[in-house]
Amino acid sequence: MKQINMFGTEFQKDESENKYSTKIEAPIYEPKNKKPHLLELCDKSKTLRLQRQIENSNLNQEEKKFLIEASNRHTIFNYEKIADYYSHASKEMQELMENSALVIIDFEKAIQLGYVKLCDEIRTQYLTEYGE
């Protein structure tokens, strides 16, 4: 597909500007010896600030409940510390952390839980462009 600029001339593809790599490697994690405290795993400062504002508002309870739920998305997770915690956690905690996608240990399990979705069309297009 050709792309034309507003002056009617065709854009020239500049291969030197390709900033992305097609090389995909999973990071190798080395657990630390120290188990972090649960309070180190996330920063809830913005979440709590928003929740105080919501609670102090004149909104009805349904609106407050909705906004309180939405405010949780402002929690910042420290995935390095989460991985450290995971390496020292009980088997039950590890399984629940995996189910919550806090850590991805097994690619097949990530697919099973719905965190990774494979699309044959994208796979076919990738293989056509880059080979196997």
Side-chain angles (χ1 to χ4, degrees):
M1 176 188 294
K2 292 182 181 179
Q3 291 186 343
I4 309 292
N5 69 21
M6 63 186 263
F7 301 107
T9 58
E10 188 177 329
F11 283 111
Q12 299 297 318
K13 187 174 180 181
D14 184 354
E15 297 296 331
S16 67
E17 289 186 23
N18 187 4
K19 298 175 184 157
Y20 301 103
S21 170
T22 58
K23 183 179 179 184
I24 300 170
E25 288 184 23
I28 304 298
Y29 171 72
E30 293 293 331
K32 309 286 187 303
N33 289 329
K34 183 180 175 224
K35 180 180 182 180
H37 191 279
L38 278 171
L39 294 176
E40 296 178 75
L41 306 185
C42 62
D43 177 358
K44 293 185 64 119
S45 55
K46 184 171 184 179
T47 302
L48 296 173
R49 186 172 57 253
L50 286 169
Q51 290 176 351
R52 280 192 300 276
Q53 292 173 343
I54 294 163
E55 289 298 335
N56 292 329
S57 73
N58 294 319
L59 300 174
N60 67 48
Q61 283 307 112
E62 285 185 17
E63 291 172 325
K64 286 182 179 184
K65 185 178 177 183
F66 168 74
L67 290 174
I68 293 289
E69 288 293 325
S71 70
N72 286 309
R73 74 180 195 277
H74 293 283
T75 299
I76 300 168
F77 292 93
N78 183 327
Y79 290 99
E80 182 177 348
K81 296 237 184 222
I82 288 170
D84 289 339
Y85 190 89
Y86 173 89
S87 69
H88 298 283
S90 68
K91 184 73 176 152
E92 182 179 28
M93 180 64 169
Q94 287 178 341
E95 185 173 313
L96 291 170
M97 290 175 80
E98 291 172 21
N99 291 347
S100 295
L102 288 168
V103 293
I104 305 292
I105 299 301
D106 180 323
F107 189 71
E108 293 299 321
K109 185 171 185 178
I111 292 170
Q112 176 188 359
L113 294 174
Y115 297 118
V116 178
K117 296 186 187 213
L118 299 178
C119 175
D120 286 333
E121 185 177 316
I122 292 172
R123 182 179 180 275
T124 302
Q125 182 177 353
Y126 178 86
L127 292 174
T128 301
E129 290 182 26
Y130 300 104
E132 290 189 44

